[in-house]
Amino acid sequence: ETINDGILELLTEYRNESSLAEYYFAYLEKRTTPTQRIHEILPRLAELNSDYVAFALVNMTDVKRQCRDSDARWAAGTPLSPLDGIPVAIKDSAAIMHLPPPTAGSYLFHARNLASPEVRSAYDDPTVASLRGLGMIILGHTAMTEGGMTMMGYGVKDGGPFNPHA
């Protein structure tokens, strides 16, 4: 059994209970595409980000390119996995290729990025590479408290993230 078989089994079992399953079956049944879904999601993401400072960085050009690539794979019937085209956010402690290096919510690392704005990560963190290999849409870096160490839930660099349930 491959990882795709295991994912597919879970998505099928939880078809009516999982947003991941919703994505998979909507793409499979051609009711929508990754590009259509991202255009539905972006306004809500922007709204939530203004209230909760969830994202530190989103590269929209790359997100749209990833969606187009995923659209083509689904149209050809060759998705990389059942998770192909599903958006995922990455904590600002993991490298994402072609984005500035992660800051882990720290002004020190943020200053490094400001001093050398041309510097981009030359690789994906292994976790990010695995998600990308499944065809998932890498949205960008989420905001985090400095070093992920504060109990306050407030990041000095990004001013968040804030817990929407607090």
Side-chain angles (χ1 to χ4, degrees):
E1 183 172 302
T2 68
I3 189 168
N4 285 343
D5 293 334
I7 293 170
L8 186 55
E9 183 179 324
L10 284 171
L11 292 175
T12 302
E13 181 176 341
Y14 294 100
R15 181 178 182 145
N16 298 319
E17 301 170 31
S18 165
S19 58
L20 290 176
E22 279 180 39
Y23 277 93
Y24 170 71
F25 286 105
Y27 296 161
L28 183 68
E29 296 162 2
K30 301 192 182 325
R31 289 183 277 123
T32 190
T33 66
T35 296
Q36 290 170 327
R37 288 301 296 226
I38 208 71
H39 286 295
E40 293 167 5
I41 292 168
L42 290 177
R44 182 73 175 133
L45 184 103
E47 178 186 327
L48 289 172
N49 206 49
S50 68
D51 292 339
Y52 302 113
V53 192
F55 280 87
L57 179 64
V58 175
N59 180 342
M60 287 310 307
T61 302
D62 190 52
V63 167
K64 289 176 182 177
R65 180 199 54 77
Q66 292 176 74
C67 286
R68 284 191 307 272
D69 292 349
S70 182
D71 289 349
R73 291 189 297 268
W74 278 104
T78 58
L80 295 176
S81 79
L83 301 177
D84 199 333
I86 296 176
V88 62
I90 307 297
K91 207 65 162 162
D92 191 17
S93 58
I96 301 174
M97 192 179 339
H98 305 302
L99 289 186
T103 67
S106 166
Y107 266 127
L108 177 66
F109 295 130
H110 181 61
R112 169 205 62 202
N113 290 352
L114 291 176
S116 304
E118 72 286 352
V119 173
R120 296 289 186 256
S121 295
Y123 64 91
D124 280 331
D125 179 87
T127 303
V128 176
S130 294
L131 296 171
R132 195 182 299 276
L134 293 170
M136 296 189 82
I137 307 299
I138 309 298
L139 291 175
H141 280 140
T142 59
M144 63 184 288
T145 60
E146 191 164 11
M149 299 291 201
T150 65
M151 294 172 51
M152 304 281 283
Y154 179 81
V156 199
K157 181 180 91 47
D158 298 308
F162 294 104
N163 182 341
H165 303 290

